[in-house]
């Protein structure tokens, strides 16, 4: 509003001097969000929900900075895990006002390597009906678990599952997935089972 001031000298009062003061509001801290948790190699998307500001300032791990409202870190690595802060600024004539910061914690999990898969039936040659089929998986990433899926509704969580007395319905594609936390990688192999010939 308008502020006035007068001065008094020996009982005589001057005319008032006036000044107009404007106090602009500080914007509310933006609401920070992300698509975390993600796997290494995926994009980490950061979001500052609009609050009327015209500019934003992000900081984060690995000296990350951005002036975008909704920046993305393309093909993020595990080093992108950490605390991200964002503030918003509104510019008025002659000056600008910056909000408090909002923070979020983003997690980028390690993605395991695709497992090296094989079997005792690479085909051709294949193994025979009633033989034992053994599937093998190996992954250089420590701490992974495995999930197999294949023909005839076959599933297994063993690293190297065994199917005894196998029949031709086991012929086909087998997928093994290495799982580490929320991240995974898969490999497909083909298995061939030769039916027992019928004597006529």
């Amino acid at each position: 509003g308008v502020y006035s001031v007068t001065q008094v000298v020996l009982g005589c009062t001057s005319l008032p001097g006036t000044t107009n003061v404007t106090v602009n509001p500080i914007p509310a801290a933006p609401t920070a969000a992300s698509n975390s948790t993600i796997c290494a190699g995926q994009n980490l998307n950061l979001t500052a929900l609009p609050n009327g500001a015209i500019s934003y300032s992000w900081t984060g791990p690995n000296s990350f900075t951005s002036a975008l409202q909704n920046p993305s870190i393309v093909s993020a690595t595990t080093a992108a895990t950490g605390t991200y802060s964002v503030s918003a600024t509104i510019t008025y004539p002659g000056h600008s006002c910056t909000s408090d910061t909002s923070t979020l914690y983003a997690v980028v999990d390690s993605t395991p390597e695709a497992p090296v898969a094989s079997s005792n039936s690479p085909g051709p040659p294949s193994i025979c009906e009633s033989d034992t089929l053994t599937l093998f998986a190996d992954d250089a990433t420590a701490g992974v678990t495995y999930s197999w899926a294949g023909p005839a509704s076959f599933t297994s969580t063993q690293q190297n599952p065994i199917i005894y007395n196998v029949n031709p319905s086991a012929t086909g594609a087998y997928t093994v997935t290495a799982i580490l936390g929320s991240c995974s990688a898969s490999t497909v192999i083909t298995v061939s089972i030769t039916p027992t010939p019928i004597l006529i």
Side-chain angles (χ1 to χ4, degrees):
V2 176
Y3 289 78
S4 299
V5 59
T6 59
Q7 60 181 352
V8 179
V9 179
L10 298 178
C12 299
T13 302
S14 70
L15 294 174
T18 62
T19 184
N20 190 35
V21 174
T22 300
V23 180
N24 291 304
I26 296 174
T31 302
S34 77
N35 62 334
S36 168
T37 298
I38 64 168
C39 299
Q42 296 178 333
N43 296 344
L44 177 61
N45 300 322
L46 305 171
T47 302
L49 297 184
N51 65 347
I54 63 170
S55 65
Y56 295 82
S57 177
W58 283 91
T59 59
N62 281 336
S63 301
F64 171 79
T65 61
S66 177
L68 298 175
Q69 179 181 348
N70 303 314
S72 291
I73 301 175
V74 178
S75 298
T77 67
T78 55
T81 294
T83 300
Y84 291 80
S85 301
V86 60
S87 61
T89 299
I90 295 179
T91 300
Y92 299 100
H95 71 286
S96 59
C97 297
T98 300
S99 73
D100 292 334
T101 59
S102 290
T103 61
L104 64 86
Y105 192 81
V107 176
V108 181
D109 282 341
S110 297
T111 299
E113 297 180 11
V116 177
S118 61
S119 76
N120 64 334
S121 171
S126 63
I127 65 172
C128 297
E129 181 178 358
S130 299
D131 284 347
T132 297
L133 172 63
T134 304
L135 304 169
F136 303 97
D138 189 23
D139 190 288
T141 309
V144 300
T145 58
Y146 296 89
S147 176
W148 284 90
S153 302
F154 170 77
T155 60
S156 177
T157 57
Q158 296 180 358
Q159 180 177 352
N160 302 314
I162 298 173
I163 304 175
Y164 296 99
N165 194 29
V166 72
N167 60 62
S169 66
T171 295
Y174 287 77
T175 301
V176 57
T177 302
I179 303 167
L180 184 64
S182 62
C183 304
S184 63
S186 299
T187 300
V188 179
I189 60 170
T190 299
V191 166
S192 179
I193 310 298
T194 300
T196 302
I198 300 175
L199 296 177
I200 56 173

